[in-house]
Amino acid sequence: MTTGGADADAGLRGLVVRTARQVSLMLVVLAPLLCVMSVMTGEAELRTTVRYAAVVETAFAAIYLLARGRFALRWPDWLLFAGTLVAMGGVIFSPVHERLAHKPYAMVAPMAAFTFAVMAPVRPALAYGLAGSASVMYACALWFAPHPHAVNG
C-alpha cells in the first residue's frame, strides 16, 4: 500500500478492499451480458463465445469469491491487479472469438496498465507487471488471430 500514518493506511486499505469487491461484482455481472450481446448482434458465434465466456467468467467468479473473504482483507491490491488483468486480457482476446478482423478496444486495452497505475493506490511493481502482462497478451492475441492486413515478415 502507500506510506503514511496507521489511520491513513487503514482507511486506504479499507477503500481498496471495497473497490476490489465492487469491481469484482461488476465484472461478474457485465461479462456475460457483453457476450450475450455479441451473439445476439451476430458479432460472435455461440460456440466460440461460450468457450471464451467460460474462461473469462470463471476467472471473474474466482476473483469475486476471493474478494468476499479474508484474501481481500490481506491482499486487496492483488485482487485489483487480477481483476484488471483478466478484464484487459478478455478485451485483448475478444477478437479471437468474434467475427471481427479488427476491434479498436483490443488495441486500447493495454492502456489499462496506465489507468491502473494512476488510479489504484498500490505498489508500482504491480502496475509494471500489468504493463508487461499486457504486452505478452497482446503479442499472443496477434499470433492467435492475426489481422488480415498485417505485414508478414
Side-chain angles (χ1 to χ4, degrees), residues 24-102:
S24 67
L25 176 62
M26 289 188 317
L27 293 173
V28 165
V29 171
L30 287 178
L33 296 175
L34 293 172
C35 287
V36 167
M37 292 307 296
S38 291
V39 171
M40 289 178 64
T41 60
E43 193 174 82
E45 294 179 22
L46 180 61
R47 182 179 53 82
T48 57
T49 301
V50 168
R51 246 190 344 237
Y52 169 84
V55 172
V56 172
E57 191 63 20
T58 300
F60 285 150
I63 293 166
Y64 174 79
L65 292 172
L66 287 171
R68 275 25 196 187
R70 281 190 268 189
F71 189 93
L73 297 174
R74 188 159 182 174
W75 295 296
D77 46 349
W78 282 101
L79 282 174
L80 286 175
F81 173 83
T84 306
L85 183 68
V86 174
M88 182 176 56
V91 173
I92 288 172
F93 284 101
S94 65
V96 173
H97 86 93
E98 295 176 341
R99 295 178 181 157
L100 304 174
H102 172 72

